[in-house]
Amino acid sequence: MNIQWYPGHMTKARRAMEADVRAVDMIIELVDARAPMATRNPDIGALGRGKERIIVMNKADLAEDKVTAAWSAAFRREGVECFMMDARSRKNLKKLFALIERACVAKRERDRRRGILNRPVRAMVAGIPNVGKSTLINTIAGKSSAKTGNRPGVTRGNQWIRLNQSVELLDTPGILWPKFEDQNVGAMIAFLGSINEMIVEPTELAAEFIRFLRGRDKAEGLYRRYELCDETVTESGLIAAIAIKRGCLLAGGEPDYAKASGIIMNEYRAGLLGRISLEEPEDYGAENADCGISAKEAASTSENSERGA
């Protein structure tokens, strides 16, 4: 399964981010806790060099606790502030605000020395499509300040939102990088719904997802959810069985593979197949297990340097 998607509005959004990053004090980067490295856009790391950064592992309620804790430890070993949350809940907002304030202590001290008092911290909320940036802003603000949707591409333009006297947030469109060098990364992003489904054939995606779960010994929730007992059936056979169980039938009683495939992927994304993490720090090898900069981010940084040379 070969996945590439980089629509024109993302080129425009990246250029806007290059300009806007100069006006902010820090970057709050959202990633999906089920795949924290795959959902990190290397462009954000390159553009945000020299800025304070916080990584928010969103949708932590859908990931495996033990794996998420390992990711958190890996990021912190690299000196990157990390926070786990469900952006729909206000439960941990005080902790997040405290983290923002702590990350900006040096900035506030610089302002004080210059005689600038009470200037709000300006933070850019960034991430790839569909990781929950606008949801986080609305939860923090306590109102629908930013457009949201359970699909990529809802936020098309930048939106400044004043939260209180001390913090302003900039909501930015989700940006993917132009080419997936590692197709496993592309597959994980597609599993999570961060790529427009119009370019991904649903049955192929669901079959790849089932193959992925089986290869990781994580298919138990799938079998349980759909009451499947024959684990030797092919991926296509499992999709057909699920179609029959869910009444997804075409004329003549044939299984509707596309509809059943959509059900599988939507129910995974909603957590109905159980809490399933797609990657672990060890997947990136010993040299990248401490995830301050991944191989793809290093490559992107190198490319950006060459463009500027």
Side-chain angles (χ1 to χ4, degrees):
M1 185 173 66
N2 191 341
I3 298 173
Q4 299 296 340
W5 184 57
Y6 194 75
H9 76 268
M10 286 196 181
T11 300
K12 182 179 178 181
R14 189 187 189 283
R15 289 173 183 154
M17 180 178 285
E18 288 177 343
D20 291 330
V21 76
R22 303 187 192 104
V24 300
D25 305 300
M26 68 179 303
I27 295 176
I28 301 173
E29 181 183 0
L30 262 71
V31 299
D32 192 305
R34 293 167 291 183
M37 187 61 77
T39 55
R40 291 187 73 190
N41 186 333
D43 284 347
I44 294 171
L47 292 174
R49 291 200 177 279
K51 302 288 182 180
E52 299 293 341
R53 292 174 69 187
I54 295 175
I55 291 178
V56 175
M57 288 196 286
N58 190 29
K59 306 183 184 182
D61 58 311
L62 303 178
E64 300 164 46
D65 283 336
K66 187 175 181 179
V67 177
T68 301
W71 277 111
S72 180
F75 285 128
R76 286 185 175 124
R77 281 196 297 272
E78 287 294 301
V80 180
E81 293 282 6
C82 184
F83 188 77
M84 297 169 284
M85 71 179 300
D86 170 9
R88 299 166 300 177
S89 170
R90 296 180 61 84
K91 182 178 179 181
N92 291 322
L93 287 186
K94 286 185 179 179
K95 292 181 180 178
L96 179 58
F97 274 118
L99 195 59
I100 293 172
E101 288 294 329
R102 191 162 72 243
C104 288
V105 167
K107 175 262 177 192
R108 291 197 187 282
E109 178 59 24
R110 288 195 300 271
D111 282 353
R112 188 190 64 78
R113 289 197 300 267
R114 295 171 185 167
I116 303 171
L117 302 177
N118 302 320
R119 184 171 77 85
V121 171
R122 307 193 88 187
M124 175 183 286
V125 182
I128 72 169
N130 206 33
V131 290
K133 300 180 300 298
S134 297
T135 299
L136 174 65
I137 287 176
N138 289 339
T139 298
I140 294 174
K143 57 185 178 180
S144 296
S145 302
K147 295 179 182 179
T148 64
N150 190 26
R151 67 185 191 280
V154 173
T155 302
R156 287 300 181 93
N158 293 344
Q159 305 175 74
W160 276 106
I161 293 116
R162 183 72 175 262
L163 299 184
N164 51 43
Q165 293 300 311
S166 62
V167 180
E168 291 180 347
L169 293 183
L170 175 62
D171 184 21
T172 60
I175 303 175
L176 288 173
W177 49 107
K179 184 178 181 181
F180 297 125
E181 299 295 341
D182 184 346
Q183 281 300 306
N184 288 327
V185 169
M188 282 187 275
I189 290 174
F191 296 159
L192 296 170
S194 291
I195 290 179
N196 192 318
E197 293 186 347
M198 296 294 290
I199 70 154
V200 183
E201 203 285 313
T203 304
E204 183 182 2
L205 179 64
E208 183 69 20
F209 176 63
I210 294 171
R211 194 174 301 117
F212 180 92
L213 294 183
R214 286 173 148 182
R216 295 277 183 128
D217 292 324
K218 293 189 176 187
E220 180 181 349
L222 177 86
Y223 299 134
R224 184 172 57 250
R225 175 73 178 171
Y226 303 113
E227 299 178 341
L228 303 170
C229 56
D230 189 349
E231 300 179 9
T232 65
V233 177
T234 64
E235 286 78 22
S236 179
L238 286 176
I239 295 171
I242 292 168
I244 293 169
K245 284 180 176 289
R246 289 297 181 91
C248 303
L249 303 175
L250 299 170
E254 291 296 313
D256 187 335
Y257 285 88
K259 189 172 182 179
S261 296
I263 289 173
I264 294 167
M265 299 315 305
N266 287 334
E267 293 197 344
Y268 165 64
R269 293 163 190 162
L272 297 177
L273 305 186
R275 300 176 69 165
I276 303 174
S277 296
L278 298 178
E279 60 177 357
E280 301 183 16
E282 292 77 11
D283 295 340
Y284 289 84
E287 69 276 15
N288 288 319
D290 287 348
C291 316
I293 185 167
S294 68
K296 67 182 185 184
E297 187 171 335
S300 174
T301 303
S302 175
E303 287 177 11
N304 291 334
S305 298
E306 289 173 6
R307 289 183 194 130

